[in-house]
Amino acid sequence: MAESKKIPVVSKEVLIPFIIITSLFSLWGFANDITNPMVAAFGTVMEISTAKAALVQLAFYGGYATMAIPAALFVRKYSYKKGILLGLTLYAIGALLFFPAAEFEVFGFFLGSLYILTFGLAFLETTANPFILSMGDERTATQRLNLAQAFNPIGSLFGMFVASKFILVALDSDKRNEAGELIFNTLDEAQKAVIRTHDLAIIRDPYVILGFVVIAMLVLISVTKMPKRDTTKKYSSAADSFKRLFANGKYKEGVLAQMFYVAAQIMCWTFIIQYAGNLGIPKSTAQNFNIVAMSIFLGSRFISTFMMKYINAKKLLMIFAIGAMVTTAGVILIEGMAGLYLLVATSAFMSLMFPTIYGIALDGLSEEDSALGAAGLVMAIVGGALMPILQGSMIDMEKIGPFTGVNFSFILPFICFCFIALYGYRAFKIYK
């Protein structure tokens, strides 16, 4: 125990590269959480159903599923640094495409822009996560990844802040009358067209600015010396790596657990606005609850990383998943502000899940299998593409038995947390 305490989580030799790569976690966190509120924004301004508006998440997280394996094969052949540079290039292109998308005012164009943007995010996550794991001793790898991932919610929090203070509050389509009803729905087509042009420009601008920020990061990383892998090692074929991964129960279950986690996270954060809207709260005000949730998530991430010094990460995952089951059960059963508070509180329990599942699933894999293993875990992010559409359909139903549609829809995150708790238990008891 004393010997392990002497092992640094991050050594001085790789501190600068660690800081720069860790900053990327904030960069994709920003993209994730400036995009979540856009489901509600597009739903109103484009006059589409919640289920169709949730195609934003299908485009966003579908890009991960499409590009994760190609990204892993690229990194396996070349290097972590080249993978990151290509990822930043795709990220910038997708963000800048928001400009013509707003000019054409076509919802599908926005979806295409997001799809390309997340090609870049798939490269970044497939590359940066194992890169961070490799920057030091294996015994501190999960702790190191949790530390790096702790900066992801900082970017997320900033994304939520921008969405709340510069986008949602400025949307003319979300103005309400004294009775709390949307004025936009009562206007004629000419008036709606003017508002639509204005609001799509408001949505566009932060993404275009983000594109230039990403270009600046690309330049910084291109001129920074990064740790290199040992390129003299001869790796077996990708097919052999896939066979070993498919035979690894802990890894396979980890991919499923990650898919359920991302689905639960996206559902809980995307539909806070709809849950609050069902209580008569405007979008710009409802987004403040998302900001509080992310602040709790951020604080809990640092706390849980510290707790891992004393509690086994697998056991802690199980405990936190059970906590999330309790809060989401409350969201389903309790209507009004109490249910909303429980939904916000769920973020405290989600905080450690992504990096911990990631670290557990990859633990013990050889270096040659880690890149493709990381790709599988990034592909699992597709859970965030599929289940929000199903939840949106449930919300559109308005009433499901004795429950409102929005309340009952959180049965889906509840089921996800059940599986994560089971994975934590099996990882702790079986896959020791």
Side-chain angles (χ1 to χ4, degrees):
M1 189 71 174
E3 184 181 347
S4 64
K5 284 186 177 180
K6 294 178 183 177
I7 301 170
V9 176
V10 183
S11 65
K12 293 180 180 178
E13 292 78 10
V14 296
L15 183 59
I16 298 301
F18 177 84
I19 291 171
I20 293 173
I21 299 304
T22 294
S23 69
L24 298 178
F25 288 72
S26 297
L27 206 55
W28 72 67
F30 180 90
N32 288 339
D33 288 281
I34 196 174
T35 301
N36 287 339
M38 296 307 105
V39 173
F42 278 122
T44 302
V45 74
M46 303 300 283
E47 297 184 281
I48 54 180
S49 67
T50 303
K52 187 173 181 180
L55 288 174
V56 166
Q57 301 295 31
L58 178 63
F60 193 91
Y61 293 98
Y64 281 101
T66 304
M67 198 53 64
I69 295 295
L73 294 174
F74 182 90
V75 171
R76 183 184 171 101
K77 183 174 181 180
Y78 297 103
S79 67
Y80 287 129
K81 182 174 180 177
K82 288 181 179 178
I84 287 170
L85 292 176
L86 180 54
L88 289 170
T89 301
L90 292 168
Y91 188 167
I93 291 170
L96 293 174
L97 280 174
F98 263 67
F99 188 86
E103 292 298 307
F104 285 103
E105 299 187 3
V106 176
F107 183 53
F109 202 148
F110 283 102
L111 296 181
S113 302
L114 284 170
Y115 191 52
I116 294 170
L117 185 153
T118 52
F119 284 177
L121 298 189
F123 263 89
L124 293 180
E125 294 212 38
T126 301
T127 306
N129 283 299
F131 199 7
I132 290 293
L133 288 171
S134 72
M135 288 185 183
D137 194 281
E138 288 185 4
R139 286 167 287 183
T140 56
T142 299
Q143 196 176 347
R144 185 164 49 254
L145 183 58
N146 266 274
L147 177 59
Q149 283 276 355
F151 290 86
N152 175 266
I154 293 175
S156 296
L157 194 58
F158 187 51
M160 288 181 175
F161 176 81
V162 170
S164 176
K165 304 303 179 186
F166 297 97
I167 300 179
L168 298 179
V169 74
L171 296 179
D172 288 343
S173 60
D174 197 42
K175 304 297 184 205
R176 295 173 184 262
N177 59 26
E178 293 179 359
E181 299 167 336
L182 286 171
I183 299 171
F184 184 73
N185 296 334
T186 66
L187 303 176
D188 60 39
E189 287 306 313
Q191 291 172 309
K192 285 181 178 179
V194 172
I195 290 175
R196 187 173 293 116
T197 299
H198 170 269
D199 285 5
L200 291 178
I202 293 294
I203 292 170
R204 171 201 70 198
D205 290 346
Y207 285 92
V208 173
I209 293 169
L210 176 61
F212 288 110
V213 171
V214 171
I215 290 171
M217 283 298 300
L218 190 156
V219 173
L220 174 63
I221 291 175
S222 66
V223 299
T224 301
K225 186 176 181 181
M226 294 286 171
K228 294 182 179 178
R229 280 187 317 201
D230 184 359
T231 54
T232 62
K233 291 181 179 179
K234 295 294 182 182
Y235 290 154
S236 57
S237 68
D240 289 337
S241 286
F242 278 123
K243 286 178 184 178
R244 287 190 292 270
L245 291 170
F246 283 127
N248 187 321
K250 178 164 66 77
Y251 172 76
K252 284 191 298 184
E253 291 178 29
V255 171
L256 286 173
Q258 199 72 291
M259 183 180 72
F260 282 117
Y261 165 68
V262 175
Q265 174 191 287
I266 298 309
M267 287 187 285
C268 287
W269 288 347
T270 298
F271 295 113
I272 279 182
I273 292 179
Q274 275 77 4
Y275 196 100
N278 196 50
L279 302 176
I281 300 171
K283 291 184 185 68
S284 57
T285 304
Q287 179 64 1
N288 291 332
F289 287 96
N290 249 331
I291 293 173
V292 172
M294 182 54 66
S295 300
I296 291 171
F297 183 92
L298 175 59
S300 182
R301 173 66 64 79
F302 283 107
I303 292 168
S304 60
T305 301
F306 175 77
M307 290 172 68
M308 285 181 186
K309 289 184 177 181
Y310 308 101
I311 303 174
N312 184 285
K314 300 167 186 176
K315 186 176 182 180
L316 203 58
L317 175 65
M318 178 185 69
I319 293 169
F320 272 49
I322 291 171
M325 288 165 58
V326 171
T327 55
T328 48
V331 173
I332 298 165
L333 298 171
I334 302 171
E335 295 189 9
M337 293 302 296
L340 181 58
Y341 293 148
L342 284 168
L343 179 53
V344 170
T346 304
S347 291
F349 298 108
M350 292 195 295
S351 61
L352 93 167
M353 291 182 183
F354 185 94
T356 303
I357 294 169
Y358 197 103
I360 292 169
L362 293 185
D363 182 43
L365 295 184
S366 65
E367 184 180 350
E368 63 179 310
D369 292 343
S370 290
L372 287 174
L377 289 162
V378 171
M379 279 188 70
I381 292 174
V382 74
L386 303 176
M387 295 189 82
I389 297 174
L390 178 57
Q391 189 177 14
S393 299
M394 295 173 75
I395 292 171
D396 286 335
M397 292 171 69
E398 295 186 2
K399 203 76 177 173
I400 302 175
F403 302 98
T404 62
V406 67
N407 281 70
F408 189 77
S409 72
F410 283 90
I411 190 71
L412 296 178
F414 176 83
I415 293 169
C416 293
F417 291 129
C418 289
F419 186 89
I420 295 165
L422 179 62
Y423 179 65
Y425 173 81
R426 286 175 61 79
F428 181 60
K429 288 292 185 181
I430 299 172
Y431 302 123
K432 295 182 179 179

